[in-house]
Amino acid sequence: MTRIGAIFNPYTHTPDEFHDAVTAAERARLPELWIWEDCFRQSAFATAGAALAWTESLRIGIGIAPMPLRNVAATAMEIASIERLFPGRLLPGVGHGVLEWMGQAGARVASPLTLMREYVPALRGLVAGEQVTTTGRYVTLDAVQLNHPPVTPPPVYAAAEGPKTLRLSGEVADGTVLDSGHTAAEYQTAVAAIRGARAEASRGDGHDVVAYVVTAFGADSEARAIADVGDKPDPAERALWGDPAQVAAGARRYFDAGVDDVVLLPASRGDIAEFYAAAGEVARIVVGA
């Protein structure tokens, strides 16, 4: 099912702006608002819990929280607590984090792929209410089981970009978060790698692919969107701009590439309420298409 979301960017907006942004997103009837945890700006789970408490229908995606910073049991408890408080509205995701930042925090691992291979299955098992025992290079659990797991476990997403990580995400996670700045053809290649690995792992259930896409609305939107993409080739193929109808039409090429959820990333700091209002209109156009 095709979906539209939007992003609260911790680079361009501060935590004290988050409340007004969240209420604006709810007011705009935006289906999903995605956040991420970058060092050392804004936490993931505290932010997600606050946003869900302030709203009634908005779903909050975490794309992503870095695995090296948290023991997997702690992450499972965070997810379970939020999910039980606000059932069906949390979309939690994890990733290996920016290696330099992980090093600053004393949490850098030598093999991010090994960490993901150990961490994500353990996390999925814990939030599903299973008793998990495992001894790995980075994840060690001895008969750990949540006392109050979610009634319905939320999907666990993993961030991926390189070929090996894309395949691993398809194998071990319930969904994949893809970063911005890519063409539809590049997303199509990524989706093929994810789904191919999933098939090889005999994971027949669905896998949700989320893609962040740089987007601008209003005056000078094309110039702002392309400027945000940077010096990559064919920048016009890596962003969306225009009025909501134009953005909805442009998003179709990502859906056609296999992306399930196009999450609109504001191209520049501006009026976030206006951006979410336009993004909400894009969502309604896409659902009605």
Side-chain angles (χ1 to χ4, degrees), residues 119 133 203:
Y119 195 106
T133 295
R203 292 284 307 276

Side-chain angles (χ1 to χ4, degrees), residues 18-248:
F18 189 59
H19 176 271
D20 289 348
V22 167
T23 55
E26 174 94 334
R27 190 166 58 249
R29 292 185 293 152
L30 187 68
E32 298 175 359
L33 183 66
W34 285 74
I35 61 174
W36 66 74
E37 183 173 75
D38 266 351
C39 298
F40 299 94
R41 291 178 171 84
Q42 178 172 298
S43 73
F45 296 105
T47 302
L52 291 166
W54 295 330
T55 57
E56 296 293 332
S57 61
L58 186 67
R59 295 207 298 173
I60 299 297
I62 298 174
I64 51 79
M67 292 180 288
L69 290 180
R70 289 184 185 84
N71 182 282
V72 68
T75 301
M77 289 189 290
E78 296 273 21
I79 292 171
S81 295
I82 294 174
E83 175 62 28
R84 288 186 70 104
L85 287 167
F86 309 102
R89 296 174 56 204
L90 178 67
L91 302 171
V94 295
H96 55 61
V98 176
L99 298 184
E100 180 181 351
W101 293 339
M102 297 303 99
Q104 284 181 269
R108 181 167 178 165
V109 298
S111 175
L113 279 174
T114 301
L115 174 63
M116 181 179 288
R117 183 174 295 281
E118 296 175 358
Y119 195 106
V120 174
L123 180 59
R124 291 182 64 248
L126 290 169
V127 299
E130 299 171 6
Q131 184 181 94
V132 180
T133 295
T134 184
T135 301
R137 183 175 179 183
Y138 300 114
V139 176
T140 298
L141 299 172
D142 181 9
V144 175
Q145 186 172 26
L146 299 180
N147 284 13
H148 304 290
V151 175
T152 301
V156 173
Y157 293 78
E161 187 166 5
K164 292 181 180 179
T165 313
L166 288 165
R167 290 184 57 81
L168 181 58
S169 178
E171 180 182 340
V172 302
D174 300 309
T176 300
V177 178
L178 304 175
D179 201 2
S180 63
H182 298 286
T183 67
E186 290 169 347
Y187 284 133
Q188 187 171 31
T189 299
V191 170
I194 292 166
R195 303 207 187 283
R198 194 167 188 79
E200 290 175 16
S202 299
R203 292 284 307 276
D205 50 338
H207 188 92
D208 192 50
V209 178
V210 176
Y212 292 172
V213 181
V214 171
T215 305
F217 298 102
D220 302 320
S221 58
E222 179 178 359
R224 288 186 286 114
I226 289 177
D228 196 75
V229 168
D231 59 358
K232 294 181 179 180
D234 303 314
E237 299 298 316
R238 303 173 187 273
L240 298 170
W241 63 83
D243 61 28
Q246 290 170 313
V247 169

